[in-house]
């Protein structure tokens, strides 16, 4: 029996996930089918219940349902609980288990694919929305010197930083500010704002970048985003979010199937299809 999975979102036609998971399945010899699922904006929970009734084994969740998926899950993995957002669901008997692989995917892309270690590095995280929330813990687990979270709405950045302030293991490592207060150069700058979606960029100062900075935009596309162009023009090495997309998919696949696919060739193929 072929096990069924899908990605739920609205809109969903643009999603690359079916191609990526189908390639993972072929590579690892897993018998799965993976498709797109368009859920009505007010019908996420009904859609999930229908998928479970049809025997689906799990689903990825994308915009705008990641927070709703977190509240619908009957059990949350630690990283999904801290993120307050779920991008991977698995259906186990009566349980709907929520996980978040966006952060581990980003970190795998930085550490393995870009070859940049995070230990003792200064990391600037731009944005404090769903995607940003999911990456703080996975970055902290690599022992950076500091994570500075800068956001347009300062209070949201403060709230996110405060989540980690009470953890002895990470005391003093995470701080928050507005874009205007970003100070000094960083080893890694991550654009987790959605500004690139409207071909804009967050007002990050040029002084945040220097020779050797890795500047990663979570967005991906055929052409470099304004953030990537700005960072490159100030000495940084710019990278888009396609590697993160493929790595978060690999992590979800490993959760569902217990086998981790190789990502390099599939990242290359997905890039050619953009
Ligand atoms: P959210 O809507 O949850 O958060 C958006 C964030 O962007 C907020 O911090 C918001 O600030 C900020 N923002 C929006 N517009 C601007 C602007 N013009 N200038 C400065 N800040 C702005 O989105 P997500 O966190 O879900 O997604 C963020 C990005 O990450 C998207 O581009 C998405 O496509 C990408 N992404 C990529 C993934 C991948 O696998 N490559 C996975 C997940 C996300 P404020 O709080 O002030 O509103």
């Amino acid at each position: 029996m072929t096990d069924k999975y899908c990605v739920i979102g609205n809109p969903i036609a643009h999603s690359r996930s079916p191609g990526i998971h189908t390639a993972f399945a072929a590579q690892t010899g897993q018998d799965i089918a993976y498709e797109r699922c368009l859920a009505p904006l007010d019908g996420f929970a009904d859609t999930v219940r229908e998928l479970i009734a049809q025997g689906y084994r799990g689903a990825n969740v994308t915009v705008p349902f990641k927070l709703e998926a977190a509240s619908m899950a009957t059990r949350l993995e630690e990283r999904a609980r801290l993120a307050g957002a779920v991008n991977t669901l698995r259906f186990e008997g009566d349980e709907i288990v929520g996980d978040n692989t966006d952060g581990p995917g980003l970190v795998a892309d930085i550490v393995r694919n870009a070859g940049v270690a995070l230990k003792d590095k200064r990391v600037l995280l731009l944005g404090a929305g769903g995607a940003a929330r999911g990456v703080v813990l996975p970055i902290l687990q690599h022992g950076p010197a500091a994570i500075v979270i800068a956001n347009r709405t300062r209070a949201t950045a403060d709230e996110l930083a405060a989540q980690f302030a009470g953890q002895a293991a990470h005391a003093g490592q995470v701080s928050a500010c507005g874009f205007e207060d970003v100070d000094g150069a960083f080893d890694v700058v991550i654009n987790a704002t959605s500004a690139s979606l409207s071909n804009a960029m967050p007002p990050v100062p040029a002084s945040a970048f220097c020779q050797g900075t890795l500047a990663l935009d979570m967005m991906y596309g055929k052409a470099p985003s304004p953030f990537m162009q700005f960072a490159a023009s100030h000495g940084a090495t710019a990278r888009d979010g396609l590697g993160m997309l493929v790595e978060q998919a690999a992590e979800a696949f490993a959760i569902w199937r217990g086998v981790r696919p190789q990502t390099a060739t599939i990242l290359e193929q997905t890039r050619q299809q953009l």
Side-chain angles (χ1 to χ4, degrees):
M1 270 268 284
T2 303
D3 288 336
K4 292 186 289 188
Y5 299 87
C6 64
V7 54
I8 312 169
N10 186 332
I12 200 62
H14 66 285
S15 174
R16 307 262 156 204
S17 293
I20 295 169
H21 280 278
T22 303
F24 286 162
Q27 184 201 85
T28 57
Q30 293 284 311
D31 184 13
I32 72 156
Y34 188 110
E35 61 197 39
R36 296 179 182 87
C37 175
L38 178 71
L41 289 174
D42 61 353
F44 174 74
D46 285 345
T47 301
V48 170
R49 281 190 280 270
E50 179 59 29
L51 292 170
I52 294 171
Q54 288 178 23
Y56 276 72
R57 302 289 302 274
N60 283 131
V61 180
T62 187
V63 177
F65 299 123
K66 288 184 186 181
L67 303 191
E68 220 175 322
S71 25
M72 194 187 181
T74 56
R75 181 152 60 86
L76 285 178
E77 300 294 358
E78 168 78 353
R79 56 197 184 185
R81 189 183 61 74
L82 274 169
V86 158
N87 81 331
T88 303
L89 293 170
R90 56 182 204 275
F91 309 135
E92 292 180 351
D94 291 341
E95 292 258 59
I96 300 174
V97 185
D99 204 340
N100 191 317
T101 67
D102 282 335
L106 173 83
V107 167
D109 186 52
I110 292 175
V111 175
R112 280 209 300 270
N113 299 344
V116 173
L118 289 167
K119 178 132 185 63
D120 298 329
K121 299 287 174 63
R122 272 169 54 77
V123 179
L124 175 62
L125 180 60
L126 306 170
R133 284 210 298 263
V135 305
V136 179
L137 181 67
I139 293 174
L140 280 173
Q141 287 168 338
H142 281 249
I147 303 180
V148 177
I149 305 167
N151 196 42
R152 182 174 61 182
T153 308
R154 168 71 195 263
T156 320
D158 284 336
E159 274 167 39
L160 179 53
Q163 269 193 289
F164 299 91
Q167 297 184 7
H170 305 303
Q173 261 176 308
V174 187
S175 61
C177 65
F179 290 122
E180 64 286 357
D181 302 318
V182 169
D183 192 23
F186 290 81
D187 301 296
V188 179
V189 181
I190 298 161
N191 183 14
T193 74
S194 48
S196 301
L197 292 172
S198 43
N199 212 30
M201 66 168 274
V204 58
S207 54
F209 306 97
C210 63
Q211 215 68 41
T213 298
L214 174 70
L216 190 148
D217 196 332
M218 287 193 181
M219 241 270 296
Y220 53 85
K222 262 198 175 105
S225 66
F227 167 81
M228 290 169 66
Q229 293 176 36
F230 182 78
S233 72
H234 291 95
T237 300
R239 190 173 179 84
D240 72 6
L242 197 65
M244 172 184 178
L245 178 79
V246 172
E247 295 297 340
Q248 65 76 27
E251 182 77 18
F253 192 91
I255 288 169
W256 291 328
R257 310 303 300 177
V259 50
R260 174 170 293 281
Q262 299 290 324
T263 51
T265 50
I266 289 159
L267 173 54
E268 193 48 47
Q269 284 163 16
T270 311
R271 170 125 4 243
Q272 281 163 13
Q273 288 158 10
L274 283 181

